[in-house]
Amino acid sequence: MNQKVLEVLIPTYRRPEAAIGAIDSVLAGADPRVTVFCHSNGVEPELEAAALLRENTRYDCFPENRGAVANFRKVLADSSADYVLFLSDEDRLSQEHLKAFVDFLAGSHHAFVFCSVTESSGENYFSLAALQGEALSCQDVLLLFPIDPTYLSGYCFRRELLSDAVIEAAFEEHDANVYPHLLLRNAIASKGTIGLFSPALVLKGAEANTGGDSHAHVRQGSGQPAAQTPVRQPLNPRIYGESARAKQFYYMLPRLNHNLASTSWGYRFYVKLYVLSAWLNITNEAHKHVAAAGPEIATLDAAITEQRGKSDEASILVASYNRILSIRSSLLRNFLVKFLWSASKSVKLMLFFRRFGVSRTLDFIRTKHG
C-alpha cells in the first residue's frame, strides 16, 4: 500500500499561488501511494516554503528561466514512481477519481495512459467516456490521436520505459519543440498497450494571465496583477506566433515520420496529411493575429524562406504547406486551409467508425468536447 505508484509532476514558473493549489489538489486525498514533484523555472521563495510544509512533496528550481522543455525534462528525469503524470500548475486533480486512478495504475502495465480532462465550467475538454474499457495499440494512437490532445495535463507514463536517451530525444532543447510530451508518447507507444482512464481526473483551470511559458516574454512585475487586468496579455509569440508555428511544423514532421516507419504507406500518408492540415490551420490563425505578435517577430514569408531547404522532409507535404501559406489572397488561402482540415477530420472519422463502430464513435464525438 505504501509503494510509490504515482508521482504527479508540476512544472511551473512565476505562478506560486497556482502551483500551491495544484500541489494541494493532489495531496488532499492523503494517499501514501501518490507523491508530488514541483519544479520551477526560477527561484520562488513563497512556493518553496509552502512545499517544505507538505508531506510527500519535493520542490526544486532552476536559478533562472531555461524554458519549458528543460523544466519538463527535469521533472521527468528526477522522477521515481511506477507512473508519472504531468499536471499544469493551472489545473487540479479530482479527489473523486484520484484513488480509482491510482488503483487502475497499480493493476496495469500500460506504456502510457490517456486521462479525461474537464473544463472548470464542467464541460468536457477531452472526454474518453465513450471509449471506456478499451486498450489502444500503437497504431490506434498514431491513427486516431496523431497530435491530440496537445494539452500537457493528463499524460501519464510508465516510468521504467523512460530511459535517459528516450527523455533526451523527446525533450530536445529546440525553440520549435513545444509539444515534447507528444514525441515522448509516440516514442514509447510500441512498448506496450495504451490505457484509457475515462472518469474526469484532470480539472482544467482558467488559463492564467501571467507566468508560465505562455507569458514568459512579459517582464516580471510589469502591468497590473492578473485579477485587475481587463484585457488578456498577448501570448508568447515565440510559441504562438506565425513564424513559431511554421518552425514547429518543420520540426515535428520528420520525427512523426520516424514513428510511423512500421505502418503502411497509406496510413503514413494519412497521418502526415492530418498534421499538415492541423498546422496549416493553426499557422493561418496565427497569421491573422500577426499584428499582435510584435515587430521583432519574423513574418510568415520569412519563416518559410528560412526553413525551406532545412527540413529533413523534402516532400510534397512540406511543399504544400509552403505553397498554401504563401497564397496572397486571404479568401483563397482560408478556403484551402479549412477544406483540407475538414477533409482530414472526415478521414479520421471513418477510421474511428472502423475501429470502434458507429455507436461508440458518435458517443465519443458528442462527449469529447462538451
Side-chain angles (χ1 to χ4, degrees):
M1 183 66 181
N2 292 322
Q3 180 183 2
K4 289 173 60 177
V5 175
L6 175 66
E7 187 162 39
V8 179
L9 309 179
I10 305 176
T12 188
Y13 180 52
R14 284 169 37 191
R15 295 171 181 166
E17 291 185 3
I20 292 169
I23 293 171
D24 287 343
S25 77
V26 179
L27 300 177
D31 192 326
R33 300 172 296 171
V34 182
T35 62
V36 176
F37 180 28
C38 180
H39 192 277
S40 178
N41 240 327
V43 178
E44 301 196 57
E46 178 185 348
L47 177 56
E48 181 177 11
L52 288 173
L53 295 175
R54 287 156 173 79
E55 295 183 359
N56 295 322
T57 303
R58 290 189 294 147
Y59 171 81
D60 202 355
C61 68
F62 292 135
E64 57 185 19
N65 188 3
R66 290 177 50 185
V69 171
N71 209 10
F72 298 161
R73 186 175 63 243
K74 176 66 175 177
V75 291
L76 267 183
D78 288 1
S79 61
S80 59
D82 293 342
Y83 284 88
V84 291
L85 173 76
F86 275 116
L87 182 67
S88 168
D89 57 12
E90 299 167 311
D91 302 336
R92 305 291 182 260
L93 290 188
S94 166
Q95 285 307 306
E96 181 182 358
H97 301 300
L98 180 56
K99 183 181 183 301
F101 179 60
V102 180
D103 291 340
F104 171 81
L105 295 178
S108 74
H109 290 85
H110 295 304
F112 71 88
V113 178
F114 283 119
C115 299
S116 293
V117 181
T118 301
E119 297 270 13
S120 56
S121 63
E123 294 186 347
N124 295 323
Y125 178 81
F126 183 74
S127 174
L128 297 162
L131 308 183
Q132 184 174 5
E134 292 287 340
L136 303 182
S137 68
C138 176
Q139 181 167 285
D140 287 334
V141 171
L142 292 172
L143 293 180
L144 305 178
F145 303 101
I147 55 170
D148 58 314
T150 57
Y151 200 62
L152 179 72
S153 290
Y155 271 97
C156 183
F157 299 94
R158 187 174 162 192
R159 182 62 182 86
E160 68 177 7
L161 300 179
L162 307 183
S163 65
D164 291 343
V166 168
I167 293 175
E168 288 295 325
F171 290 79
E172 176 189 14
E173 290 197 45
H174 189 287
D175 61 357
N177 186 17
V178 298
Y179 300 110
H181 50 293
L182 296 182
L183 302 181
L184 182 65
R185 179 200 76 178
N186 292 347
I188 68 169
S190 62
K191 299 182 183 297
T193 57
I194 291 87
L196 303 175
F197 187 75
S198 57
L201 177 70
V202 177
L203 308 177
K204 189 175 184 294
E207 195 171 343
N209 197 25
T210 59
D213 214 32
S214 297
H215 297 96
H217 61 304
V218 180
R219 287 183 297 121
Q220 191 163 9
S222 63
Q224 298 172 306
Q228 300 177 19
T229 305
V231 179
R232 180 172 176 78
Q233 298 179 23
L235 293 173
N236 191 345
R238 188 182 65 80
I239 302 171
Y240 301 99
E242 56 178 358
S243 175
R245 290 305 196 183
K247 291 177 182 178
Q248 290 160 22
F249 174 75
Y250 291 114
Y251 181 85
M252 182 174 290
L253 194 59
R255 287 158 179 81
L256 183 62
N257 192 42
H258 175 75
N259 296 134
L260 293 167
S262 61
T263 62
S264 68
W265 179 89
Y267 283 158
R268 286 200 304 272
F269 182 79
Y270 152 69
V271 174
K272 290 194 285 186
L273 178 63
Y274 187 91
V275 174
L276 166 70
S277 304
W279 242 259
L280 278 171
N281 192 45
I282 65 173
T283 309
N284 193 49
E285 288 301 311
H287 185 58
K288 294 177 182 178
H289 300 92
V290 68
E296 74 282 1
I297 303 302
T299 65
L300 184 57
D301 286 345
I304 292 174
T305 301
E306 177 188 350
Q307 295 298 316
R308 186 180 287 128
K310 290 185 179 182
S311 175
D312 296 332
E313 285 282 307
S315 68
I316 188 173
L317 295 179
V318 170
S320 298
Y321 180 86
N322 295 339
R323 186 175 296 276
I324 291 173
L325 290 177
S326 298
I327 294 175
R328 297 298 177 184
S329 168
S330 60
L331 187 63
L332 177 59
R333 185 180 66 250
N334 292 338
F335 171 78
L336 288 174
V337 168
K338 296 301 182 185
F339 174 79
L340 283 173
W341 183 222
S342 297
S344 62
K345 288 193 293 184
S346 296
V347 175
K348 182 177 178 178
L349 181 62
M350 289 189 290
L351 291 171
F352 256 92
F353 282 146
R354 180 180 176 183
R355 173 64 174 84
F356 297 112
V358 175
S359 178
R360 297 187 77 184
T361 298
L362 293 177
D363 283 344
F364 177 77
I365 295 170
R366 180 175 55 82
T367 61
K368 182 182 178 184
H369 292 289

